[in-house]
Amino acid sequence: MTTQDFIGKENFNIHSQTVSESCPSNIALIKYWGKYDNQIPANPSISYTLNHCKTNTSMEFTADAPFSVQTFLSGNEEVKFAEKIEKYFKNIEQYLPWILKGKYMIRTENTFPHSSGIASSASGFGAIAKCLMALDASFSEKTSEEESLRKASFLARLGSGSACRSLYNGLVVWGESDEVEGSSDLFGVQYPDSEVHEVFKSFNDWVLLIHEGQKSVSSTVGHGLMNTNPYAERRFQEARENFVPIKDILKSGDMERFIKLVEHEALTLHAMMMMSDPAFILMKTGTLEVINKIWDFRRETGLPLFFTLDAGANVHLLFPNNGSEEQIKAFIEAELLQHTQKNGVVKDIMRF
């Protein structure tokens, strides 16, 4: 598919209404870090969609009013976010020709704390895109659920790249890869359930809140720094190459190789930031303490507790529901929570 396939038709049945949608966040296993114009990823990525960490959004649309956007996060008006959404709506007008023909009151809430290492931009723009498609469905000729979801993923990507992966459950791929049929730079696609071993279909993600403050560098700036990073092209190639082993790993259920690949991807993401100009170190002392304790625990017990990281200090603890989870949870609570701020942890799960 091409961008032209998403161009919208003129609508004649525009009317005022309110819609509400919910969208979860996601955590990447093979990381997307670096992009081209129009939110095109420099390499393909694959993520787990979370179950509990969501953004709930209501969108009140008043037709035939001067275009404006007003946004509220947890009841508090956010003027700067409204300006960002106004710009976003103007950028996607060709795909939704009615979008500037009214005013919007957007109320949104996250089920997880701010600055927690959980991608609120992914769940936030995913929920907004779903609201827009709900409005579009009432203004336009009906399309199939699959087509509507694909366009929502396409629109979400234009707000926040990784948001396109949050529109689907389970494992989701964004970015063209020869290893995944139907994969695209324009939208996310669900990785086929039939190609995933049962051990990977029920997973825990406990996020340790090592640092709850604002990051020293935004993701947008971080992606931009890949344009001058001397190791960027090799990194993009490595991510593409990693789709070969992960395809075999997911099929076979090889947990040891899965752990090695996921942790390598997490550390590579931070290595890229440390080798950018200017360089950034987003890990904190607690991050390193947790990583070393995880490695020691795995060596001593052989149990499948491992980690991934987003572009921040907080640690996503991953472990399957395979009978060993109670021992792993006890270790986390006894040994790892002490490295967080205020014993902070967000507990989520991924299920297909």
Side-chain angles (χ1 to χ4, degrees):
M1 297 186 72
T2 69
T3 299
Q4 293 300 310
D5 293 306
F6 296 98
I7 300 294
K9 297 179 181 179
E10 192 65 44
N11 308 83
F12 300 100
N13 185 32
I14 301 171
H15 53 276
S16 301
Q17 65 172 305
T18 300
V19 295
S20 297
E21 295 288 348
S22 178
C23 186
S25 186
N26 68 78
I27 180 65
L29 305 174
I30 291 180
K31 304 294 186 180
Y32 141 69
W33 196 246
K35 60 185 177 182
Y36 305 123
D37 291 343
N38 209 30
Q39 296 285 73
I40 299 299
N43 64 262
S45 58
I46 184 169
S47 64
Y48 263 131
T49 299
L50 302 179
N51 277 42
H52 305 317
C53 292
K54 299 179 179 181
T55 297
N56 300 314
T57 297
S58 70
M59 183 179 290
E60 180 183 338
F61 175 70
T62 304
D64 299 323
F67 172 66
S68 67
V69 177
Q70 196 173 10
T71 59
F72 294 84
L73 175 60
S74 299
N76 299 313
E77 185 169 8
E78 297 287 342
V79 175
K80 287 188 176 181
F81 187 56
E83 293 171 354
K84 184 176 183 178
I85 298 303
E86 282 190 15
K87 182 179 178 181
Y88 168 61
F89 284 2
K90 290 175 181 177
N91 287 341
I92 62 175
E93 183 185 11
Q94 61 181 315
Y95 309 114
L96 299 171
W98 52 265
I99 196 167
L100 304 184
K101 297 178 180 179
K103 68 176 183 179
Y104 299 81
M105 178 84 72
I106 300 173
R107 300 183 185 277
T108 187
E109 290 188 351
N110 296 327
T111 64
F112 52 91
H114 183 63
S115 299
S116 61
I118 298 167
S120 59
S121 62
S123 56
F125 274 100
I128 285 173
K130 289 176 72 174
C131 284
L132 292 174
M133 288 307 299
L135 290 174
D136 191 62
S138 68
F139 302 157
S140 312
E141 295 179 4
K142 285 193 174 182
T143 58
S144 70
E145 183 177 349
E146 180 182 356
E147 290 174 320
S148 179
L149 200 57
R150 184 183 297 126
K151 186 165 183 176
S153 179
F154 172 86
L155 294 174
R157 184 197 102 243
L158 294 173
S160 172
S162 59
C164 73
R165 298 190 305 242
S166 281
L167 274 293
Y168 299 90
N169 295 324
L171 287 161
V172 184
V173 173
W174 171 39
E176 290 185 12
S177 170
D178 293 338
E179 302 303 316
V180 182
E181 184 177 355
S183 58
S184 172
D185 289 341
L186 301 181
F187 48 82
V189 297
Q190 193 167 24
Y191 194 84
D193 290 4
S194 60
E195 297 298 309
V196 181
H197 192 280
E198 288 299 317
V199 72
F200 297 124
K201 291 187 176 182
S202 181
F203 242 81
N204 296 280
D205 180 4
W206 284 21
V207 187
L208 296 183
L209 305 183
I210 307 293
H211 179 68
E212 299 183 57
Q214 192 74 22
K215 293 186 296 185
S216 58
V217 58
S218 70
S219 293
T220 299
V221 171
H223 282 291
L225 290 173
M226 290 296 280
N227 294 331
T228 56
N229 191 308
Y231 301 96
E233 288 303 323
R234 182 64 194 100
R235 162 58 201 157
F236 301 150
Q237 182 61 30
E238 179 189 47
R240 289 189 283 266
E241 292 169 354
N242 279 344
F243 268 80
V244 176
I246 204 168
K247 185 176 181 179
D248 177 65
I249 289 166
L250 291 172
K251 181 77 171 179
S252 66
D254 191 331
M255 185 63 69
E256 185 175 344
R257 289 174 66 205
F258 187 65
I259 290 171
K260 184 177 181 180
L261 179 57
V262 170
E263 289 188 344
H264 175 79
E265 278 284 320
L267 294 174
T268 299
L269 169 65
H270 282 259
M272 289 298 101
M273 286 184 280
M274 285 189 273
M275 291 184 289
S276 66
D277 183 15
F280 289 94
I281 300 176
L282 297 186
M283 293 186 190
K284 302 294 184 184
T285 301
T287 311
L288 298 174
E289 293 281 0
V290 165
I291 289 173
N292 280 303
K293 283 189 174 182
I294 290 170
W295 285 342
D296 289 343
F297 174 78
R298 213 161 59 227
R299 278 192 293 267
E300 293 166 5
T301 66
L303 296 179
L305 171 65
F306 57 109
F307 68 87
T308 189
L309 305 164
D310 254 335
N314 298 328
V315 183
H316 287 251
L317 303 174
L318 304 179
F319 53 101
N321 290 305
N322 67 347
S324 62
E325 61 269 21
E326 292 309 315
Q327 186 176 345
I328 290 173
K329 290 176 182 179
F331 166 74
I332 293 170
E333 291 171 349
E335 298 294 333
L336 301 186
L337 287 187
Q338 62 186 282
H339 300 292
T340 66
Q341 291 185 343
K342 304 174 185 176
N343 287 326
V345 60
V346 177
K347 300 176 182 179
D348 211 323
I349 194 166
M350 292 85 77
R351 284 199 186 99
F352 284 44

